[in-house]
């Protein structure tokens, strides 16, 4: 069988085997696999003319669109290293990521959501960015004359790319601290995606809608690389809104909706939803958009679990299938190629089944390392990566998530896992999201909660009563902030909850 462990090999395979199959769709454009193969090769020729070669680090600062996919394929198929950059980044954050990843070229959109990125990039202090050689707009790249590149040069350069070669640097952050540049190779990234396709119910016939930005691993791995690995069709948009997304789902006969549960829930609540034909959606999609008979019982379907360092999910269960009852509420089981162990957070010693501790992972699908950090500072001596996540494995090997190690706190000497409290609050009718942490109260450390929901039917008294009915008294929040505004939830540049800002927000409430 032909090796398909590089981006170039995947593109050539699908272009030959299913040239007319649609590869990617946005609200204004669509490309077949043959067209994606051809246009990305032409784009790669322009990049080569610009001086980009194997190993060159190229930042991409664009919103979700067909052009993002073309550019990502062009960069990676010739062995250059893709560095997705968030359109949410501001000056200092952007400089830090460019510096950490030693980005040499940046390709940016001209304008998005009222921001003119070329001007913002030009305003950066270039003295602190010694690797940066040039900033291009996407239009600049399209205007490059390719007359000096011999025929077949792209194919020759692509042929030198091996599965072990670096493919991308993707930024992530924990609940606090500076973002980390996570390095992935072609081989580990594609293998990680391939190991989870069955659990995510993705095949070549899938028409996958994904709203997540491509600059995060959820969009790049769960969208672009998932579709490309399976030979599926990817549907996306730059600025999802219910008014635009619902017609897009119907028009493109989307079969699988993955992404954020809260977006699916918002779509399901929208007045336009009842009149929208979503009959093409299949089980495995986020359940808020499925008819009741296609949903699992509460907690019966696995919550796919992963991180940037594992290039997306490393743990799951077929998303259209109920797990055994004893595993309800779990994240499923580790995918083939990934080992998971639970250790005592203080000693690092493995703990018995059903014991909560820090999750450590090891395997061929794991990242190659972190930018500017030596291997011994990233991995344990026996090759495990300490994730900073808390969890437990049951006797059957199902993984249960218990929050972040740095989010865990104590009240009156007793341990509180925020995820446990959040799960109880999310089960209250009218609650859309819940975020729990600790603050310093009049009597010492206390539990506090930000709840997003319908304030017409919710009250602090009702939430307090619901928590008391299910939780020990020390786990019941003593400070509440109830809002309908989801934008009030503090998030960092990579979209993760900013716990420090959450604590400050709750302390002021």
């Amino acid at each position: 069988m032909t090796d398909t462990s590089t981006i170039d090999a995947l593109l050539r395979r699908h272009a030959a085997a299913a040239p007319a199959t649609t590869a990617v769709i946005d609200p204004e454009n669509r490309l077949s696999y043959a067209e994606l193969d051809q246009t990305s090769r032409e784009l790669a020729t322009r990049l080569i003319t610009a001086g980009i070669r194997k190993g060159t680090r190229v930042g991409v600062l664009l919103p979700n669109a067909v052009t993002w996919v073309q550019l990502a394929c062009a960069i990676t198929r010739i062995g250059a290293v893709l560095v997705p950059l968030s359109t949410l980044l501001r000056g200092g954050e952007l400089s830090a990521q460019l510096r950490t990843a030693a980005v040499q070229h940046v390709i940016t959109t001209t304008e998005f959501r009222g921001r003119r990125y070329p001007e913002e990039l030009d305003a950066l202090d270039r003295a602190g960015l010694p690797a940066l050689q040039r900033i291009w707009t996407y239009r600049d790249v399209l205007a490059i004359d390719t007359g000096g590149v011999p025929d077949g040069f792209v194919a020759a350069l692509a042929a030198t790319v091996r599965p072990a070669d670096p493919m991308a640097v993707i930024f992530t952050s924990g609940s606090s601290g500076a973002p980390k540049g996570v390095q992935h190779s072609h081989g580990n990234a594609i293998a990680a995606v391939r190991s989870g396709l069955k659990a995510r119910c993705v095949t070549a016939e899938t028409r996958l809608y994904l709203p997540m930005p491509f600059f995060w691993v959820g969009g790049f791995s769960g969208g672009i690389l998932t579709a490309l690995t399976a030979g599926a069709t990817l549907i996306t948009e730059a600025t999802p809104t219910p008014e635009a997304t619902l017609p897009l789902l119907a028009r493109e006969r989307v079969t699988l909706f993955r992404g954020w549960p809260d977006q699916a829930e918002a779509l399901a609540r929208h007045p336009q939803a009842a009149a929208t034909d979503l009959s093409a959606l299949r089980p495995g999609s986020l359940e808020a958009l499925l008819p009741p008979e296609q949903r699992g019982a509460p907690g019966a379907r696995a919550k796919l679990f992963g991180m940037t360092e594992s290039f997306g999910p490393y743990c799951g269960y077929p998303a259209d299938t109920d797990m055994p009852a004893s595993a309800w509420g779990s994240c499923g089981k580790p995918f083939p190629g990934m080992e998971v162990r639970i250790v005592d957070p203080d000693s690092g010693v493995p703990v018995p089944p059903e014991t909560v501790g820090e999750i450590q992972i090891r395997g061929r699908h794991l990242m190659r390392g972190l930018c500017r950090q030596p291997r011994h500072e990233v991995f344990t001596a026996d090759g495990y990566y300490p994730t900073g996540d808390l969890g437990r494995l049951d006797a059957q090997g199902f993984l249960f998530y218990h929050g972040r190690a740095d989010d865990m706190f104590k009240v009156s000497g007793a341990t509180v896992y925020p995820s446990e409290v959040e799960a109880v609050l999310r089960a209250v009718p009218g609650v859309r999201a819940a975020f729990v942490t600790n603050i310093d109260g009049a009597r010492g450390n206390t539990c506090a909660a930000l709840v997003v929901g319908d304030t017409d039917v919710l009250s602090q008294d009702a939430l307090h009563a619901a928590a008391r009915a299910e939780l020990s008294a020390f786990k019941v929040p003593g400070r509440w902030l109830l809002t309908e505004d989801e934008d009030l939830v503090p998030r960092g540049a990579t979209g993760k909850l900013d716990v420090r800002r959450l604590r400050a927000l709750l302390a002021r409430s």
Side-chain angles (χ1 to χ4, degrees):
M1 180 179 176
T2 303
D3 179 70
T4 53
S5 295
T6 67
I7 301 301
D8 179 72
L10 281 173
L11 274 171
R12 288 188 290 104
R13 177 187 177 186
H14 294 313
T21 296
T22 305
V24 58
I25 296 168
D26 67 28
E28 298 177 358
N29 304 284
R30 66 184 61 224
L31 289 177
S32 68
Y33 272 100
E35 292 168 332
L36 180 58
D37 176 48
Q38 176 65 28
T39 58
S40 64
R41 274 191 283 115
E42 293 170 353
L43 197 53
T45 304
R46 301 183 191 281
L47 299 179
I48 291 168
T49 305
I52 294 170
R53 297 288 191 274
K54 185 177 181 181
T56 303
R57 295 195 170 189
V58 184
V60 171
L61 185 55
L62 299 169
N64 281 23
V66 164
T67 52
W68 209 110
V69 180
Q70 289 172 295
L71 190 54
C73 290
I75 291 167
T76 55
R77 74 186 305 175
I78 61 173
V81 181
L82 173 68
V83 184
L85 298 168
S86 168
T87 56
L88 304 176
L89 293 172
R90 296 287 177 172
E93 299 168 322
L94 184 54
S95 289
Q97 294 194 9
L98 293 174
R99 184 168 52 252
T100 297
V103 171
Q104 296 158 278
H105 293 257
V106 175
I107 302 173
T108 181
T109 186
T110 303
E111 187 273 340
F112 179 57
R113 288 182 169 172
R115 293 178 61 188
R116 298 189 60 81
Y117 291 95
E119 296 173 9
E120 294 185 25
L121 287 161
D122 285 338
L124 298 179
D125 179 9
R126 296 290 283 270
L129 301 170
L132 185 59
Q133 299 172 18
R134 181 155 180 181
I135 297 166
W136 307 78
T137 67
Y138 188 71
R139 291 178 183 174
D140 292 337
V141 174
L142 294 179
I144 294 172
D145 182 2
T146 61
V149 179
D151 290 342
F153 193 78
V154 170
L157 193 54
T160 70
V161 180
R162 299 289 180 262
D165 287 335
M167 180 196 73
V169 174
I170 305 177
F171 280 90
T172 183
S173 67
S175 55
S176 62
K180 299 172 290 186
V182 182
Q183 303 175 61
H184 288 286
S185 69
H186 288 255
N188 92 261
I190 292 171
V193 169
R194 189 170 280 138
S195 72
L197 288 179
K198 182 177 180 181
R200 287 179 285 162
C201 303
V202 179
T203 69
E205 288 71 42
T206 299
R207 296 178 67 82
L208 169 66
Y209 173 82
L210 193 90
M212 291 179 169
F214 293 153
F215 51 71
W216 288 333
V217 76
F220 185 45
S221 168
I224 296 176
L225 261 293
T226 289
L228 190 58
T229 301
T233 298
L234 174 64
I235 298 99
T236 193
E237 54 188 335
T239 52
T241 64
E243 294 78 13
T245 300
L246 286 167
L248 180 64
L249 298 177
R251 182 171 67 251
E252 298 300 341
R253 302 296 294 167
V254 167
T255 62
L256 191 65
F257 185 114
R258 303 296 304 173
W260 291 301
D262 56 349
Q263 192 203 20
E265 292 161 6
L267 289 174
R269 292 193 303 268
H270 195 271
Q272 190 177 332
T276 303
D277 180 8
L278 301 178
S279 60
L281 286 176
R282 297 289 178 262
S285 298
L286 293 175
E287 294 193 339
L289 292 173
L290 293 175
E293 64 273 13
Q294 292 184 6
R295 304 176 189 176
R301 303 281 168 89
K303 307 167 186 175
L304 292 172
F305 187 62
M307 60 197 318
T308 304
E309 292 88 337
S310 61
F311 203 68
Y314 64 82
C315 192
Y317 199 81
D320 59 353
T321 305
D322 289 0
M323 296 181 290
S326 62
W328 286 14
S330 79
C331 305
K333 291 185 175 183
F335 294 150
M338 190 67 77
E339 300 173 66
V340 174
R341 72 181 181 188
I342 309 297
V343 304
D344 180 270
D346 296 320
S347 68
V349 175
V351 298
E354 302 293 0
T355 305
V356 175
E358 183 184 28
I359 302 171
Q360 295 188 347
I361 57 178
R362 180 176 72 178
R364 61 184 183 273
H365 304 160
L366 195 58
M367 65 174 175
R368 303 297 87 180
L370 298 176
C371 291
R372 300 178 181 268
Q373 286 190 244
R375 184 175 178 85
H376 72 270
E377 292 182 0
V378 177
F379 301 98
T380 64
D382 53 353
Y384 280 88
Y385 176 64
T387 66
D389 292 323
L390 294 170
R392 60 183 170 88
L393 287 166
D394 71 7
Q396 288 72 47
F398 286 90
L399 178 67
F400 291 78
Y401 177 63
H402 284 269
R404 292 284 300 171
D406 47 8
D407 293 344
M408 179 186 70
F409 57 91
K410 292 183 181 291
V411 174
S412 301
T415 299
V416 177
Y417 296 108
S419 60
E420 180 185 10
V421 183
E422 290 165 354
V424 170
L425 296 178
R426 286 197 301 268
V428 177
V431 172
R432 297 197 297 274
F435 306 91
V436 171
T437 188
N438 60 308
I439 62 172
D440 290 328
R443 299 182 180 179
N445 214 24
T446 189
C447 185
L450 167 63
V451 177
V452 181
D454 185 352
T455 56
D456 289 336
V457 299
L458 289 172
S459 67
Q460 292 186 14
D461 289 343
L463 290 168
H464 190 272
R468 282 188 60 86
E470 299 290 335
L471 299 168
S472 300
F474 68 89
K475 299 178 184 177
V476 176
R479 182 73 63 86
W480 299 87
L481 178 56
L482 176 58
T483 180
E484 291 189 351
D485 183 6
E486 296 186 19
D487 290 336
L488 192 63
V489 179
R491 298 188 185 278
T494 57
K496 291 185 178 180
L497 181 71
D498 187 325
V499 177
R500 289 182 180 177
R501 288 167 53 203
L502 176 64
R503 288 190 182 115
L505 178 66
L506 287 166
R508 296 192 302 268
S509 65

